[in-house]
């Protein structure tokens, strides 16, 4: 399973939304220990008792609960990354889906662990600020319709001021973002027009749109206080598919990662074009494998379960 000349690897980091109990249930004892070490480190500098939360998930509510869940999801991805590296599975490139960028660039050596928490803190504070207004926000996913069809539904039954495309995950998997009741309306119309599946993502934020621009200062202010080092692993931008190495390039990518629409499908196609044929999902539940379509017949997705099988675990 190690690196070869004919195989290029990309490590893929998920966004937010995993069930943390299921996420860490696949870890062996060594991974659990490493995961808890990360939790303790974060707890020390953030004041958030993540270990307590793992044993009693009712101890946090509202945005505190969301904050803890998102941090823990990121730490689980970092644990999978650590496991891969220990087993000589080394990426040629890394990419991060949405807030997965934070964990990707931490693993690449561009920022420190506490910086990932600082970035998330800015996101949470922006969410809290947005909740002071009259509108509520959410995101949704549509499976089975292409982006042009979804845009037509938005224009016919809502407005691009209220619902926007957050990501074209694949040709027939589109993520939308915006005002909650308008997102629900678009999902309903998509279902009636032949979508195979639609669902709300239960994310209290219109990520990847300019609807939160008035609340985004907390996010940007927190980024300004972070020093971004050159990346030890090339990062591929999910916005313009450029290969990012320098600290300034990583910083600019991080700035784009709150209000800009993602080009996930285009990024995956670009990676395949430059020779990547192994895509390693850093989630434990295969979330990125499920939401990504590979077009090259020689390309494959791998997960931690793939690694377990190779090691006869």
């Amino acid at each position: 399973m190690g690196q070869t000349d004919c195989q290029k690897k990309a490590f893929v980091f998920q966004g937010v939304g995993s069930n943390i109990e299921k996420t860490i249930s696949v870890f062996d004892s060594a991974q659990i220990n490493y995961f808890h070490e990360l939790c303790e480190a974060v707890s020390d500098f953030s004041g958030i008792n993540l270990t307590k939360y793992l044993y009693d998930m009712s101890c946090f509510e509202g945005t505190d609960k969301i904050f803890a869940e998102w941090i823990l999801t990121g730490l689980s991805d970092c644990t999978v990354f650590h496991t891969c590296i220990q087993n000589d599975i080394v990426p040629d490139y890394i990419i991060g889906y949405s807030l997965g960028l934070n964990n990707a660039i931490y693993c690449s050596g561009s920022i420190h662990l506490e910086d990932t928490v600082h970035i998330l803190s800015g996101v949470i504070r922006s969410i809290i600020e947005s909740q002071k207004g009259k509108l509520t926000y959410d995101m949704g996913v549509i499976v089975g319709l292409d982006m042009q069809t979804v845009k037509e539904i938005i224009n016919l039954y809502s407005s691009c001021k209220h619902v926007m495309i957050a990501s074209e995950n694949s040709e027939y998997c589109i993520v939308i973002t915006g005002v909650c009741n308008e997102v629900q309306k678009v999902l309903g119309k998509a279902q009636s027009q032949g979508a195979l599946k639609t669902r709300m993502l239960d994310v209290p934020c219109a990520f990847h749109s300019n609807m939160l621009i008035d609340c985004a200062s907390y996010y940007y202010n927190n980024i300004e206080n972070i020093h971004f080092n050159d990346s030890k692993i090339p990062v591929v931008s999910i916005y313009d598919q450029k290969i990012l190495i320098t600290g300034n390039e990583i910083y600019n990518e991080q700035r784009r990662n709150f209000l800009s629409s993602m080009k996930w499908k285009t990024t995956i196609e670009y990676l395949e074009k430059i020779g990547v044929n192994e895509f390693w999902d850093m989630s434990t539940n295969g979330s990125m494998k499920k939401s990504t379509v590979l077009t090259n017949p020689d390309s494959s997705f791998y997960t931690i379960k793939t690694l377990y099988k190779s090691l006869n675990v």
Side-chain angles (χ1 to χ4, degrees):
M1 298 295 296
Q3 191 84 12
T4 68
D5 292 337
C6 62
Q7 294 174 320
K8 287 187 178 180
K9 298 176 175 62
F11 281 11
V12 184
F13 289 77
Q14 66 178 321
V16 298
S18 294
N19 179 307
I20 196 60
E21 289 179 294
K22 291 182 179 179
T23 294
I24 64 175
S25 65
V26 304
F27 286 158
D28 61 24
S29 58
Q31 291 165 331
I32 284 291
N33 289 338
Y34 183 81
F35 177 75
H36 279 291
E37 286 175 10
L38 292 177
C39 289
E40 290 172 7
V42 170
S43 297
D44 286 344
F45 58 69
S46 70
I48 303 169
N49 193 332
L50 294 177
T51 303
K52 178 182 178 181
Y53 178 75
L54 286 170
Y55 288 102
D56 179 14
M57 295 189 177
S58 65
C59 66
F60 292 150
E61 296 180 348
T63 50
D64 288 339
K65 183 179 180 68
I66 293 170
F67 193 28
E69 285 278 344
W70 289 359
I71 292 173
L72 290 167
T73 297
L75 297 184
S76 72
D77 280 21
C78 295
T79 301
V80 174
F81 175 88
H82 176 75
T83 301
C84 287
I85 298 300
Q86 281 194 317
N87 286 277
D88 297 322
I89 301 170
V90 180
D92 297 279
Y93 306 98
I94 59 173
I95 52 174
Y97 186 93
S98 188
L99 292 180
L101 175 66
N102 309 345
N103 310 310
I105 63 176
Y106 161 64
C107 290
S108 79
S110 183
I111 61 175
H112 298 293
L113 184 60
E114 54 264 39
D115 296 328
T116 67
V117 178
H118 199 53
I119 292 168
L120 280 180
S121 174
V123 173
I124 293 295
R125 291 186 66 190
S126 295
I127 291 173
I128 292 171
E129 186 67 20
S130 75
Q131 291 175 339
K132 295 177 181 178
K134 296 180 180 179
L135 298 175
T136 58
Y137 301 94
D138 206 333
M139 302 178 72
V141 62
I142 299 170
V143 178
L145 300 180
D146 62 20
M147 186 158 68
Q148 185 57 41
T149 303
V150 173
K151 285 181 177 179
E152 290 171 0
I153 292 172
I154 291 171
N155 290 333
L156 279 172
Y157 300 105
S158 182
S159 163
C160 59
K161 292 182 179 180
H162 297 137
V163 180
M164 297 181 179
I165 303 293
S167 176
E168 183 185 23
N169 284 359
S170 64
E171 185 176 4
Y172 297 106
C173 180
I174 311 298
V175 179
I176 60 175
T177 185
V179 179
C180 187
N181 63 334
E182 295 294 321
V183 171
Q184 289 175 324
K185 185 193 300 182
V186 170
L187 294 185
K189 294 298 182 182
Q191 192 82 53
S192 67
Q193 293 195 27
L196 301 176
K197 181 181 179 181
T198 64
R199 68 181 177 94
M200 298 290 284
L201 296 182
D202 195 24
V203 178
C205 184
F207 282 126
H208 303 291
S209 78
N210 60 15
M211 279 176 263
L212 296 185
I213 193 168
D214 293 334
C215 308
S217 60
Y218 297 102
Y219 174 78
Y220 291 117
N221 289 342
N222 280 19
I223 291 173
E224 293 300 323
N225 294 323
I226 294 172
H227 176 73
F228 291 81
N229 300 301
D230 291 353
S231 180
K232 297 175 182 176
I233 307 166
V235 179
V236 177
S237 170
I238 62 170
Y239 300 105
D240 59 19
Q241 294 69 60
K242 291 182 179 178
I243 295 176
L244 314 174
I245 296 290
T246 70
N248 190 59
E249 290 170 337
I250 304 297
Y251 160 77
N252 287 328
E253 181 78 355
Q254 190 69 65
R255 282 189 60 85
R256 301 171 77 176
N257 201 40
F258 192 50
L259 303 179
S260 301
S261 177
M262 297 181 288
K263 295 179 174 61
W264 189 254
K265 171 178 174 287
T266 304
T267 304
I268 297 298
E269 290 173 347
Y270 170 76
L271 284 165
E272 289 187 296
K273 183 179 178 180
I274 62 174
V276 173
N277 51 18
E278 287 191 19
F279 291 82
W280 283 83
D281 189 339
M282 295 294 101
S283 75
T284 61
N285 61 0
S287 64
M288 297 315 302
K289 178 181 178 180
K290 296 171 187 174
S291 59
T292 303
V293 174
L294 304 177
T295 58
N296 187 334
D298 294 326
S299 298
S300 298
F301 249 104
Y302 299 87
T303 67
I304 192 170
K305 293 180 180 178
T306 310
L307 178 58
Y308 288 161
K309 288 179 181 178
S310 72
L311 299 174
N312 296 317
V313 175

